[in-house]
Amino acid sequence: MTRYVSLVVTACLSAVAGLAFQRVFGFGPVAPVAAVAAAVPTVLCGLLSGPRKEKRPWPLWISLVLTVAAWTGTVAVTVLRPALSDGTFPQAVREGVLGSWKSILTTLLPAPAKPEFLVLVNVLVWLAAFASAEIALRTRLRALPAVPPLGVWAVALLLGVDGPGSNLPLAAATVVLIAVLVLVRADGPDAGPAWRPLLSGLPVAAVLGALALVAGPVVPVSADPYDPREQVQAPPPQQRDSVSPLDRVGGWLLSPDQVMFTVVSKRDEIERLAVLDTFDGVTWTSSARFVPTGSRVPEGPKPRKEHAVAQRVTIGALPGVYVPAPDRPRQVDGLGVVVDPASGALAAAKPLVSGRTYTVESEVPEWSADDLAGAGVADDAEARADRRLPWGPGATTPPVQLAEFRRFAEAATQGAVSPIQKAAMLAEYLKRYAKYDVTAPPGHGYRQLDYFLGEGRRGTPEHFATAYALLARTLGLPSRVVVGFDGGNRSGGTVQYRSGDVMVWPEIKFAGLGWIRFNPLPDSARRSKSNDSVAAGETEKKLEQAQKNAASRTRGSGPGRTPQKTPPKPAAAHDTPTPWWVYASIAAAALVVAYLMAVLLAPALRRRRRRTGPPGDRITGAWHQALDHLADVGLSTARTLTAHEVAGFGAAQVGEDARGHLGPLADLVNRSRFAASGPDPRAADRAWHHTDQLGRLVTAKAGRLRRLRRRLHPRSLRDPRASGRRAG
Amino acid sequence: MTESGGADADALAGRFAQMFAALAQNVERVVRGKREKVELALVCLLSEGHLLVEDVPGVGKTTLARAMSASVEAEWARIQFTPDLLPSDITGVSIFNQGTGAFEFHPGPIFANLAVADEINRGSPKTQSALLEVMEERRVTVDGTPHPVPRPFMVIATQNPVDMDGTYPLPEAQLDRFLMRISMGYPDHQAEVALLAGAPTGALLDRLPPVMGRDDLARMIDFAQRLHVAAPLYDYVVRVVAATRDHPDLRLGASPRASVALLRAARVRAAAAGRSYLVPEDVKALAVPVIAHRLIVTPEAELRGRGGADVVGEVLASVPTPQAAGV
């Protein structure tokens, strides 16, 4: 009876563990998969546990063969039914079981509920339900059947750590179910459930569940959990597009009339194409990690104010894989894209072709002078990386231009006391310092920029933006360069972006705000464009004005007295890299859990092994188990003691009640070992009865705490009587 | 009791145990408060071994021999060893019969089922040596003619460990022929009070009824020696005995005769416990009385007060028992 009640609980545990994948796929796709995968193997194990000879379950291999067959059939008619019909079932199974986790890890959540993805959930829950049911049927250990579902939990948590929603209610339900499992199995599988402790324990289980629900959010690691996606290396964008958009700028400006793409939108926005944040001394490249998202783009830093914009984009002559969209895109439909979650930049899965249309919904941030005034420079890992000034490929000494750039930047920002002031003054300085000239020779290495800032003082947006970014880095401001399109020709609701509308601008990262665009281009730049470009967008104008206001607001405060805004805590936490101690703690916790499982499981498995086999082996096993019990009350060695001497020791240590069990047990083990005729199964049953009773007496004498302490000792891992068994 | 093995062996072992207990109970009616010693002596008797009782006079050595012989309807004889005792006083002599014109053998007191050799260490070495042949081969050769002793045959020798003046210590070869050496010891208070309050021992001995005949005794001896011994127990016995040969406190360890003797005695003890098989407890329980007197302790160890029993105890505490599977 208890065994079958246990099966109900183990099935529920496995199903709940499967539901934890809701952070990966959402509840809808996961619920039926988890329910079926938990129920079928449990029912199968229950049916196979029927009485056979000597009331023992069928051999495990039969269960294994049947469950594999049942799983194949079930998955064929449920999750992988389409694959069955088109003949790709074997490939789908292999991909689902072996490769889907990689695809899930490289997909932003929620992942699409593809059949080959859901197979992973199915197989994990199935295995957990099968293992849990078999453990419940074949052992008397109370909590061990909960371990396989906890394994599913671990996988679900790792794969869904970045997913939406919360698993807290499911975790609480798991705690309750484990408590119920322990209560249900209180008297072992052969006896009926202990109803009284079960009824009195249920409220305790409920309280445990409630505590788990309340305590979950305050667990330290929950604020910044380990995310395996951070370890997944996505292909760099250079492999997607052999030519950097920045290198194309000069050519596009010289032949400005190519229609790159058209946008149907009610509002003019700057279209961002590529984000280049890594400078190696010669070129700017992107360090973006593009991952599949389905159609969703994860949120970036949350500004105080933003407005939504929806656009329908039709690709024209735009080459490469970078997909234009206003910053920051949230949803892309009609085009298979991969996304860099950090910057929100989009790249097409395949090179763009003319005529391809897609829609994009974006949330464009609107910054005010209040937001910018006093903003501090970001100091996270990304910002630190974006402050570096490499010497150049193969260079062994720093380029001489760096010192000149630093002096130039300091001169340009003389008197500035706040980062925003420096950034704004630098942009204003460059606006006035150089002239816009599309015929300027392209290039953005140290030497080209030295020429641009020294003798030439004429350049394209490429020169202005990259020079600004480098000068900002000499001032300690984290910078990057963005290539996009600005302006365009509006005709009704349609804006046509041509090659001449290409724009390059620098961005500076501020703590709590994220990347802020600056415009170092002279005002004559727009006017000098040969096409009939529309005026700069309203958002851009507002931003430039806010930067000017913020810079002027802090200018008079004097050095060292500029009020610095304290970055909002959530944003700072988002940007802060995971500290080393979190990893160390996770590793230590994993080791501790593994150790605990090992030291608790090893004796249990030994006990199970000792209970099996021919009657003689079972009696010897019972004797060894009794010796283990007596070790808890001080029996250090029994090598030279006879069975009755051990019994005498046990009686002296545990009490006379123990003699009543140890004496007959000693007789049984002596007869089993030394008599001419072998023992019968009833003798083995009696031996184990005496051993079990002795175990209870020892527990009462030594106390559960002392016994647990001994169990946790590393020597629990070793079978002290293994050599004797081999010898015997 | 002609079969062993399986359920029959268990039943026969149970019968053996009953008869053994009856025998011990009968002997204990006159040798009071010495159940353990009585059982050891009976084990010795049923093993067809000889017993050396080392104790002071007046503790019941002769009474034990008489009670045992009376309980099994056996003949007993007492030989008081003195320095002038001759071998022929023990074994017997051939006397010329003038009527028949031939020498006739007149058996000595050794031709009894239970021969009590009292104060054996007071006899000369030559006289002591007269026992060597009969104790081992159960026959006496006189004038080239062997004369077998009756079955069962057991020599119960006594010696006084206190008064050693004018004695001749038994040589190793002689000691090795004794299956066991025990010490009767004084009775405890209650047993001694009961001894005083009861009838005189002599009268009791005269009225002591026999529990079994000599044929029953012979069948019990045969049954015990056919008990099942598991292979690990042979190994255990050899390990225990061999451990004495390398012991640093010993000048002479136990001989293979000791292994044989220990196994024979252990078989009887197992049957007396109602078992049809040996267990390590049987070996351990008899190791000291069977082995200790065969050991010769080094002078240094002797000065430290160590004896053969201490060494055997130490050996038993160091040799793993067969069913011990390590801890």
Side-chain angles (χ1 to χ4, degrees), chain B:
Chain B
M1 291 191 182
T2 56
E3 295 177 17
S4 65
D8 287 347
D10 287 340
L12 290 172
R15 173 73 179 146
F16 185 106
Q18 285 179 344
M19 294 172 74
F20 185 91
L23 203 54
Q25 203 171 357
N26 203 48
V27 174
E28 209 183 13
R29 290 171 66 179
V30 289
V31 185
R32 302 181 186 205
K34 300 287 182 188
R35 178 71 179 214
E36 187 189 353
K37 307 300 179 187
V38 169
E39 287 186 352
L40 282 175
L42 291 176
V43 166
C44 202
L45 172 67
L46 291 164
S47 306
E48 292 192 291
H50 309 292
L51 182 66
L52 175 61
V53 184
E54 197 174 73
D55 223 323
V56 295
V59 292
K61 300 186 288 284
T62 309
T63 307
L64 173 67
R66 285 186 62 186
M68 284 169 62
S69 61
S71 299
V72 297
E73 277 189 323
E75 291 180 10
W76 78 283
R78 172 175 176 157
I79 309 166
Q80 184 65 47
F81 275 63
T82 55
D84 58 351
L85 187 72
L86 296 174
S88 58
D89 296 336
I90 298 171
T91 59
V93 292
S94 292
I95 299 174
F96 184 74
N97 188 335
Q98 291 181 337
T100 60
F103 281 93
E104 288 183 354
F105 178 64
H106 287 247
I110 199 68
F111 285 88
N113 295 111
L114 272 77
V116 178
D118 206 7
E119 297 197 84
I120 189 173
N121 56 342
R122 294 204 177 274
S124 66
K126 182 179 179 181
T127 309
Q128 291 173 2
S129 300
L131 289 174
L132 289 177
E133 182 190 15
V134 70
M135 287 176 73
E136 182 64 25
E137 300 176 24
R138 296 172 193 280
R139 66 179 186 182
V140 173
T141 303
V142 177
D143 294 335
T145 305
H147 302 278
V149 292
R151 194 183 185 210
F153 174 69
M154 179 182 185
V155 174
I156 302 178
T158 70
Q159 63 178 2
N160 184 346
V162 178
D163 184 9
M164 303 294 285
D165 292 339
T167 61
Y168 303 93
L170 294 176
E172 289 79 17
Q174 186 76 42
L175 284 171
D176 206 24
R177 278 166 169 73
F178 285 101
L179 183 88
M180 286 187 197
R181 181 183 65 181
I182 63 172
S183 174
M184 292 296 286
Y186 293 111
D188 58 25
H189 182 82
Q190 285 181 332
E192 199 163 347
V193 168
L195 185 71
L196 296 177
T201 304
L204 270 177
L205 273 172
D206 292 339
R207 296 200 305 271
L208 199 63
V211 175
M212 64 182 74
R214 272 176 286 184
D215 293 340
D216 293 329
L217 187 66
R219 279 196 292 272
M220 287 178 74
I221 291 170
D222 292 340
F223 171 76
Q225 295 314 315
R226 287 201 301 272
L227 280 195
H228 172 75
V229 181
L233 281 168
Y234 290 118
D235 184 64
Y236 180 56
V237 170
V238 172
R239 280 175 186 273
V240 168
V241 172
T244 64
R245 295 169 194 159
D246 303 323
H247 201 281
D249 286 348
L250 295 181
R251 190 155 55 87
L252 181 67
S255 65
R257 184 184 281 145
S259 310
V260 175
L262 182 56
L263 194 62
R264 285 180 71 88
R267 278 183 157 125
V268 175
R269 186 183 184 275
R275 277 184 271 108
S276 60
Y277 53 90
L278 252 71
V279 296
E281 279 91 350
D282 300 321
V283 177
K284 278 189 117 173
L286 296 174
V288 170
V290 172
I291 299 177
H293 65 283
R294 303 167 198 259
L295 308 178
I296 299 180
V297 182
T298 60
E300 296 80 10
E302 208 164 8
L303 282 174
R304 294 201 307 269
R306 286 173 63 78
D310 300 321
V311 173
V312 175
E314 194 176 298
V315 164
L316 290 175
S318 64
V319 176
T321 53
Q323 89 265 42
V327 167

Side-chain angles (χ1 to χ4, degrees), chain A residues 57 106 110 151 209 310 327 342 349 417 666 681 720:
Chain A
T106 51
D327 184 28
V417 292

Side-chain angles (χ1 to χ4, degrees), chain A residues 639-641 643-645 721, chain B residues 228 281 284 321-323 325-326:
Chain A
R639 286 174 53 81
T640 60
L641 299 182
H644 280 281
E645 285 171 339
R721 275 158 275 282
Chain B
H228 172 75
E281 279 91 350
K284 278 189 117 173
T321 53
Q323 89 265 42

Side-chain angles (χ1 to χ4, degrees), chain A residues 131-150:
Chain A
S132 187
E134 288 292 341
I135 291 171
L137 289 171
R138 293 173 189 270
T139 72
R140 297 188 178 191
L141 296 169
R142 296 181 188 177
L144 189 63
V147 172
L150 290 180

